[in-house]
Amino acid sequence: MKNDEAKNSVKSWWEEHPCNAEWSKLTTQSKEYYDAIEKERYRMEPCIPPFARFDLGKNKKILEVGVGIGTDFIQWAKSGANAYGIDMTEQAISYTKKRLEVYNLKVAELKQSDAENLEFDTDYFDLVYSWGVIHHTPDMEKAFAEIVRVCNKNGEIKLMLYNRHSIFVFITWMRFCLFKGHFWKSLKYAVGNFVESPGTKAYTRSEIRSLLKKYPVDNIKIELKFKNQFIFKLVLFKKSNGTLRN
């Protein structure tokens, strides 16, 4: 029950704050509105296109976990990918459906769903992509396990996760903990209580590597990228032919 309550809190927050929806001053979901948001997203986060490599999506079966308002998702559709997308919020699905309609794009499937319980067969996708999403779900490791499960053998998984040892997190801790006299509070506490939805998590490189050791993955690459004093961890790896490691 505790997990369900936490998940509902996260969902409610993102229903009220659709990701990047405020980046355009236009009030209608028009092509101009979405064009403005796309331009701003890739200006603010220029590391997304070279990391995602949308241009290599053609004919691949791709799942995006957490489509948000669809900025990255439509790039997969434009590339000719067999694109599937999920998000836990009604707002995200509504924005993304409208966006696909505006650009006259077709995808394989877009639905409201839970990253911790992916409704797809094992070994189904050539690529699973998720940008800044699964660190918001209460049971991140369950979501991670699901992503590995649905990715086919030798398929790729590309994730962006927040980095706990970043300037942004330290500033957040100073602002909401140190300067409030709560100097004993941890960086984890600062992220979980003052960065976006309730319970947000951020990870160290060693924590990510420890997590990956439990799963049949290899060719692991972890990169750090700056964005407005926040350092992202970009995690790229391939699913191997091995089995879950205990």
Side-chain angles (χ1 to χ4, degrees):
M1 184 63 182
K2 186 177 179 180
N3 182 278
D4 289 340
E5 290 175 355
K7 200 174 293 183
N8 286 334
S9 294
V10 172
K11 180 179 181 296
S12 295
W13 196 94
W14 289 107
E15 292 284 15
E16 295 179 11
H17 307 87
C19 188
N20 304 157
E22 76 284 2
W23 282 5
S24 172
K25 295 180 180 179
L26 298 172
T27 56
T28 60
Q29 293 182 38
S30 61
K31 185 176 184 300
E32 293 74 19
Y33 170 82
Y34 287 118
D35 284 347
I37 288 176
E38 179 176 320
K39 181 178 180 180
E40 184 66 6
R41 178 171 175 83
Y42 297 140
R43 184 189 71 81
M44 295 283 289
E45 302 176 86
C47 51
I48 293 178
F51 175 70
R53 291 303 305 269
F54 301 116
D55 56 308
L56 299 181
K58 188 174 183 179
N59 297 325
K60 290 183 179 179
K61 192 178 290 183
I62 295 173
L63 171 65
E64 181 169 346
V65 176
V67 298
I69 63 171
T71 306
D72 293 349
F73 189 59
I74 68 164
Q75 310 310 320
W76 299 119
K78 288 177 180 178
S79 77
N82 194 11
Y84 294 70
I86 68 157
D87 201 284
M88 74 185 307
T89 69
E90 296 173 15
Q91 280 276 52
I93 299 303
S94 176
Y95 270 96
T96 304
K97 282 183 176 179
K98 179 63 177 178
R99 197 165 194 162
L100 291 167
E101 179 184 320
V102 164
Y103 290 94
N104 194 27
L105 293 169
K106 303 295 183 183
V107 296
E109 188 171 12
L110 174 67
K111 64 182 179 180
Q112 189 174 356
S113 189
D114 178 3
E116 295 179 18
N117 299 282
L118 295 176
E119 299 169 331
F120 299 103
D121 292 338
T122 298
D123 299 333
Y124 194 68
F125 295 102
D126 301 310
L127 169 65
V128 183
Y129 170 84
S130 185
W131 185 269
V133 174
I134 66 171
H135 47 230
H136 293 299
T137 198
D139 192 341
M140 179 273 199
E141 187 165 347
K142 187 177 181 183
F144 185 88
E146 281 288 270
I147 285 172
V148 174
R149 179 185 67 80
V150 301
C151 184
N152 67 35
K153 292 177 175 62
N154 299 314
E156 284 189 306
I157 298 171
K158 297 185 178 186
L159 307 174
M160 185 278 275
L161 301 170
Y162 289 164
N163 177 19
R164 191 159 74 247
H165 293 165
S166 66
I167 296 171
F168 177 85
V169 170
F170 186 64
I171 290 173
T172 300
W173 174 81
M174 288 195 299
R175 180 182 176 189
F176 293 103
C177 300
L178 179 63
F179 296 161
K180 301 289 186 181
H182 302 150
F183 56 87
W184 63 88
K185 296 291 187 180
S186 66
L187 296 177
K188 280 186 179 181
Y189 175 87
V191 174
N193 287 274
F194 304 110
V195 176
E196 299 172 330
S197 56
T200 298
K201 292 167 282 294
Y203 300 89
T204 65
R205 185 187 293 265
S206 62
E207 285 173 342
I208 294 173
R209 289 200 175 275
S210 293
L211 175 63
L212 291 171
K213 286 179 181 178
K214 302 177 183 179
Y215 296 91
V217 297
D218 52 26
N219 295 333
I220 299 164
K221 183 178 181 181
I222 301 176
E223 299 179 357
L224 301 181
K225 297 292 182 181
F226 290 85
K227 180 249 178 183
N228 289 353
Q229 300 179 330
F230 210 139
I231 307 176
F232 295 139
K233 287 190 181 297
L234 308 185
V235 185
L236 167 65
F237 53 95
K238 288 190 175 184
K239 186 172 178 180
S240 67
N241 292 312
T243 57
L244 183 66
R245 302 161 188 147
N246 294 321

